[in-house]
Amino acid sequence: MSPLPRGANVSLSRENPQLQTADVTIEWGQVDPAFDSVLAMAAILVGANGKAASQEDLVFFNQLQAPDDAAQWAEMQGGEKVRVQLSRVPDSVERLAMVLYIDALPASVPRTLQNLQTCVVKVSDASTGSTMVTSENMALGFHSETASIVAELYKRKGEWKFRLVGQGYAAGLRGVLEEYGVPR
């Protein structure tokens, strides 16, 4: 399996028609421990209008699951993951935006995602553990952003698909939440 490049997409349902639960993982590997403690992943459940319906549609370390248990956040060594139970994703949700961001840093320690040497996104079948998709090293495309929508898991014509995005935000998670209309 060759790494999926930024901007590419793949049909998960076609590759695995029995897929029930997908793990979307962002791995950043070994980094400075001070930097590792502020890197975080979030998932935003987004409707057809391009907006989240409520603050409950943001899944991250302070809100571990979405309504109906459709998505759950988990920490892991050198990264984080969101487990998505596909049948529990409400029909009103068109996609899940996967976000990598810098949570908080003292002003004396400016960091951006460009400080990462590695950022790999993987999609696995949670029931078997088999990896279905692996991205290229997305860290090579980061610059001054403090948050990035690295990927999307989305429904199209009854099929679950996955797309690498890599859209950066200098305004950090705040900028992402504003774009998706997540109430604060």
Side-chain angles (χ1 to χ4, degrees):
M1 161 188 359
S2 59
L4 195 66
R6 191 180 291 226
N9 63 24
V10 64
S11 171
L12 300 176
S13 298
R14 196 172 312 138
E15 297 294 319
N16 185 350
Q18 273 65 32
L19 182 65
Q20 299 289 317
T21 306
D23 285 340
V24 180
T25 306
I26 300 177
E27 298 176 358
W28 51 78
Q30 295 293 327
V31 295
D32 176 326
F35 191 40
D36 186 48
S37 67
V38 297
L39 286 170
M41 175 189 186
I44 303 171
L45 285 74
V46 181
N49 64 354
K51 305 293 181 190
S54 74
Q55 191 165 11
E56 292 178 336
D57 289 335
L58 174 64
V59 178
F60 67 120
F61 63 84
N62 273 340
Q63 185 162 284
L64 301 178
Q65 64 188 39
D68 299 325
D69 225 12
Q72 304 90 29
W73 175 92
E75 188 172 18
M76 51 183 266
Q77 178 114 12
E80 295 178 1
K81 75 177 177 181
V82 171
R83 175 166 284 173
V84 182
Q85 296 189 52
L86 303 175
S87 64
R88 293 188 179 183
V89 175
D91 290 338
S92 60
V93 172
E94 185 176 86
R95 60 192 154 114
L96 287 87
M98 304 297 169
V99 183
L100 174 65
Y101 65 98
I102 298 172
D103 183 41
L105 281 173
S108 62
V109 187
R111 301 269 184 153
T112 66
L113 293 179
Q114 185 176 20
N115 294 107
L116 288 175
Q117 293 184 14
T118 304
C119 177
V120 175
V121 182
K122 294 181 180 178
V123 181
S124 303
D125 180 335
S127 65
T128 65
S130 64
T131 301
M132 299 168 58
V133 178
T134 300
S135 76
E136 64 184 8
N137 183 1
M138 297 186 72
L140 302 176
F142 293 146
H143 301 289
S144 62
E145 56 268 87
T146 54
S148 176
I149 299 169
V150 294
E152 293 178 333
L153 183 64
Y154 64 101
K155 290 188 283 191
R156 182 85 20 97
K157 297 181 182 177
E159 219 177 305
W160 281 99
K161 297 184 175 192
F162 179 79
R163 172 178 34 239
L164 286 177
V165 180
Q167 179 181 344
Y169 292 79
L173 184 61
R174 180 177 42 84
V176 175
L177 297 180
E178 286 174 4
E179 178 166 326
Y180 287 109
V182 178
R184 295 196 252 180

